Amino acid sequence: MAFLSLKDIAVAYHQKNYILQGLNLDIEKGELVSLLGPSGCGKTTTLRVVAGFIDPQEGNFILDGEDMTKVPVHKRNFGLVFQSYALFPHLTVKENIAFGLKMRKMDKAQMEEKINEVVEVCDLKGLTDRLPKQLSGGQRQRVALARALVIEPKLLLLDEPLSNLDAKLRIQMRVEIKRLQKKLGITTIFVTHDQEECFSISDKVAVMNNGVIEQYDTPENIYSRPKTEFVARFIGFENFFDLTKVEEHQYKNQNGDIVKVDNDDDLQTCKGTIRPDDIEIVTSADKYENLISGEVTVRTFLGKSYQYEVDTSIGKLVVSSSSEEVYKQGDSIQMYLPANKIVLV
Amino acid sequence: MRKHKGLMIISILVFAFLFIPLIIIAVTAFGSEATITFPIHGFSLQWFVNVFESESFMSSLLLSGEIALLATLLALLVGVPAAYALARYSVVGKKLLKSFFLSPTIIPGIVVGYALYQYLVLSLGFPVFESLLLGHFLVVLPYVIRIVGSSLDQFDFAIEEAALSLGCQKGQAFFKVVLPNITSGISAAFMLSFINSFNNIPVSMFLTGPGVTTLPTTLMNYIEYNYDPTVSAVSVLLMLATIVIMFIVEKTLGISALAK
Amino acid sequence: MKKKMHYLLLVPCLVLLIVFLVMPLIQIIFPTLFPEGSGFSFANYLAFFQDEYYMTIFIRTVRIALISSIVCMILGVPTAYFISRCDKKWRGILMAVSIFPMLTNSVVRSFAWINILGKNGVINNILMSIGIIKEPITMLYTEFSVLIGTIYLFLPLMIITLVGVMENIDNDMMEAAESLGASRVKAFLKVVLPLSIPGIIVGCVLVFTGSLSAYTTPQLLGGPKNLVLATFISQQALSLNNWTAASVFAVIMIITTLIVMKLLNAIAAKLDKRGEV
């Protein structure tokens, strides 16, 4: 059995509006798992069920073989980092960090030692006597992390902890979090809506939508083999087209043309999808399969490449191309959809 | 989602403490006996009839309304320009001026009434009505300064400058651009001023004369000599008026406008 | 030229306040400092502090104000916290419910307690009909009834002031404390209460100064035996024509109010420095 497991969790407001429904999730010890999804998908609710702020109507939350569903928040011993950091404004950095230890009635000497340790680890030396309002965003973030880690939590729960930082700091901090998490070996749940952040930091990702987990897999697999149209769209796939199976690795599109697909799932009718930058613009002599032609309707300059919207017989396709040849509105082009880049959903 | 049972129980008890007395009054207003009894033994509307037939209640009601309206308008008339000058310009002694304008709040009402009575009525021989009006003006001015002042503090004066750059004259800009954007502050100030003037007793206590007695003062005098449900009936009518006002405020400004 | 216009806007307000507030106040204060044709002296004020009867009234007023503030605080803090944690809809309803008594005339609100505490009042009737007491208990026209009336008068003000402060305390803060091992009660005591102290002090200033200058409630519920500063002034001036005593009391009232305000606001400012986010 997994270290952490959520079984058939259901949460509803007023007994009818379901936010989570039949949610299952297993996490192994020491893993960092991200909950990824758009706002309102239930990721924060899931985290709050784990933290104990929400009693699920149905289901159980089991940690290390122990049913935690009914354990009150303050007895769970989980470290939480909030999007707002929720530092206590009336307490200094040191007092903030000491808060959890004082609640555990730890003796002074031991407390000092623990605080010094975590201050060292989180790089907060020299800031301990300041008040939260005297700190920068990144420093506040580190205090929040230190305050959560000092109680040696069984789980670390991070709720969009980086979304209030500027882009550069965000990248720095996520590396920092990953480093700390691996060093301490602490099982962590990370809630985010930013896919890049999520892929870079996680061992596993659960993509959520409408209160259920659509796909739970490694970042690599989610990136290259999304299982549902929602996941595909969420992580950057565009260009969806209907396909019907003819034989192994061979599908027919709505015009009856054969499309070859390497990653074959056992689906009779499905949709094929491909990222804009996986489509190649070709001259007709280059390739002999998976070709489609169309007319450029919109061209957008993106810096290192151009993006074209192309009208084709199977619908609008979006293509990015960094080739030197630049097409203009009204040009007819040929596109090649590599069989190993097409994903079926 | 998460319940706070202990807090809820305390809160329910507090609200019971706040409302049971008012409910008791409301019930006694409908009693049929000549003195106030609770619970009532019979139902009657005669006390309401009493109120409407009473010359002193009706005339003091009118006077209270008149004074409250005039005092509020006077306070707006001098208070809005003052609040505007304080918010817009860097006048010398801004802080001091503001606390001076707010100072009537820290002078107890009874002292205001007493001082005005000595100074205006006894020394200068001012008519009582005008003295009462000035007393109520002093009571409500701080509301105008504070509430209109805070909505002006939130006003972005770049908008006024934009109007000027588009060819608006200074005074015109105030009426066309500034005023429309602080109407909610002015309405809130109006409401609170009116209610507070209408309800005020200490200031009016000294400033009464023949034909110049406010409703609360009449009520107070009535209570000293009578113990019949007429006062309960007046109370019910006043509470109904309060509910109507609150309803209107909630629909227009939002109820929090009255919590300022 | 332009600058002068700015000041012109302030003139009407200034003139009215000077002529109708400052001058009247000077007129009542001045004679108290020049007793009976002699030169400048504080004799009237010294006499005040040496007069046992006067001091009884002064101390009673302060005592009532102090106890009311404390009781309002004790009842107001949990209620306000409860309101501040309700969802938006309920918060609006409960705020409206708190505002309603505040907008109700204080004569009405005091009158309610006459009906409850009087000899034939609700409480005596109930107690006698159950048979707990045979004779009605005297509750009205005591310091107790003034106290109840004053608390009743100012509790909504305390609640509304506190809700204003507490609804700005982020719920995350409570949750963070709980996740760190604090029970609900502990989290409240360690986080919410310290952050609310500036607001609590503001509430206390309002209740204290309000009950210090309250007139209606002590007049209706206290009777002539339980005079406070405000009712004493009206009695001395209106019934006894003792203008000097009334004026001295008026000055003492203003000064006490100012001292209390300055003192508590200074404490609040000091605490606020730490509390600000």
Side-chain angles (χ1 to χ4, degrees), chain C residues 5-68:
Chain C
M5 270 295 291
H6 306 167
Y7 290 96
L8 221 54
L9 293 170
L10 296 164
V11 168
C13 201
L14 265 176
V15 169
L16 282 177
L17 277 187
I18 290 169
V19 176
F20 297 112
L21 183 67
V22 178
M23 306 252 294
L25 285 177
I26 290 173
Q27 207 210 2
I28 59 165
I29 295 169
F30 208 67
T32 64
L33 296 169
F34 295 91
E36 298 296 312
S38 70
F40 177 84
S41 105
F42 282 114
N44 278 322
Y45 293 91
L46 287 175
F48 171 86
F49 286 106
Q50 280 158 0
D51 188 312
E52 211 175 303
Y53 178 62
Y54 290 177
M55 280 313 280
T56 317
I57 293 171
F58 178 72
I59 289 168
R60 179 186 298 128
T61 313
V62 173
R63 183 170 56 227
I64 289 170
L66 192 68
I67 296 175
S68 311

Side-chain angles (χ1 to χ4, degrees), chain A residues 119-169:
Chain A
V119 162
E120 182 85 29
V121 171
C122 294
D123 196 19
L124 290 168
K125 267 196 183 156
L127 300 175
T128 50
D129 291 329
R130 297 217 190 150
L131 288 169
K133 66 174 171 184
Q134 298 165 318
L135 301 176
S136 69
Q139 290 167 335
R140 285 180 201 187
Q141 164 78 72
R142 292 206 299 272
V143 176
L145 204 56
R147 185 177 71 176
L149 289 174
V150 76
I151 60 172
E152 295 178 3
K154 275 193 269 183
L155 271 184
L156 182 62
L157 308 175
L158 308 166
D159 185 5
E160 306 243 9
L162 304 175
S163 59
N164 284 335
L165 301 176
D166 63 50
K168 210 171 150 194
L169 204 54

Side-chain angles (χ1 to χ4, degrees), chain C residues 75-277:
Chain C
L75 295 177
V77 166
T79 309
Y81 184 58
F82 177 76
I83 297 175
S84 75
R85 295 301 109 173
C86 284
D87 59 30
K88 218 177 156 205
K89 182 182 141 210
W90 272 100
R91 201 161 61 217
I93 293 171
L94 293 176
M95 279 297 273
V97 167
S98 313
I99 290 170
F100 178 73
M102 232 170 53
L103 300 182
T104 305
N105 197 296
S106 55
V107 178
V108 174
R109 286 192 279 167
S110 302
F111 178 66
W113 286 99
I114 296 180
N115 295 334
I116 294 173
L117 299 175
K119 263 208 169 56
N120 296 311
V122 177
I123 290 182
N124 273 322
N125 278 344
I126 291 174
L127 290 181
M128 289 207 294
S129 67
I130 325 175
I132 294 179
I133 52 167
K134 288 208 171 64
E135 292 291 305
I137 317 169
T138 311
M139 287 174 286
L140 194 58
Y141 308 125
T142 61
E143 196 173 312
F144 169 75
S145 56
V146 179
L147 205 53
I148 291 271
T150 310
I151 292 163
Y152 185 69
L153 203 60
F154 291 111
L155 184 53
L157 185 62
M158 179 65 106
I159 292 174
I160 286 161
T161 309
L162 286 175
V163 171
V165 178
M166 285 176 167
E167 65 186 356
N168 291 328
I169 298 176
D170 199 342
N171 215 25
D172 284 359
M173 218 80 81
M174 277 293 279
E175 295 187 346
E178 280 184 63
S179 78
L180 292 168
S183 63
R184 292 258 183 95
V185 177
K186 263 223 164 115
F188 176 78
L189 293 177
K190 294 271 177 188
V191 178
V192 177
L193 208 56
L195 291 174
S196 311
I197 279 183
I200 292 175
I201 289 178
V202 171
C204 285
V205 169
L206 291 175
V207 176
F208 192 96
T209 55
S211 41
L212 206 62
S213 57
Y215 171 77
T216 317
T217 305
Q219 177 73 15
L220 287 175
L221 299 180
K225 281 192 203 134
N226 293 286
L227 289 179
V228 293
L229 293 177
T231 48
F232 180 83
I233 292 174
S234 84
Q235 187 214 49
Q236 292 295 309
L238 287 177
S239 325
L240 305 172
N241 280 327
N242 186 353
W243 300 106
T244 315
S247 299
V248 168
F249 265 68
V251 173
I252 300 263
M253 225 168 147
I254 296 172
I255 291 173
T256 315
T257 308
L258 281 176
I259 290 175
V260 171
M261 276 176 66
K262 286 274 176 248
L263 205 72
L264 286 177
N265 283 337
I267 297 173
K270 205 164 184 184
L271 290 167
D272 219 18
K273 261 188 203 141
R274 228 167 124 76
E276 254 169 45
V277 185

Side-chain angles (χ1 to χ4, degrees), chain A residues 251-265:
Chain A
Y251 284 76
K252 212 164 54 182
N253 69 16
Q254 64 197 60
N255 298 331
D257 300 332
I258 294 295
V259 177
K260 290 196 172 173
V261 176
D262 284 0
N263 309 314
D264 194 0
D265 286 320

Side-chain angles (χ1 to χ4, degrees), chain A residues 28-92:
Chain A
E28 297 302 333
K29 196 165 182 140
E31 274 185 334
L32 193 161
V33 170
S34 287
L35 305 179
L36 176 69
S39 62
C41 71
K43 55 192 193 298
T44 295
T45 306
T46 309
L47 191 83
R48 290 170 64 79
V49 168
V50 173
F53 295 125
I54 296 176
D55 282 336
Q57 267 88 2
E58 291 162 38
N60 294 82
F61 160 39
I62 304 201
L63 185 73
D64 212 0
E66 192 188 337
D67 189 337
M68 304 289 282
T69 323
K70 296 284 171 214
V71 177
V73 181
H74 67 281
K75 300 222 167 100
R76 291 197 182 195
N77 197 33
F78 299 164
L80 251 90
V81 176
F82 293 78
Q83 184 172 6
S84 65
Y85 312 138
L87 298 179
F88 306 129
H90 60 303
L91 302 179
T92 62

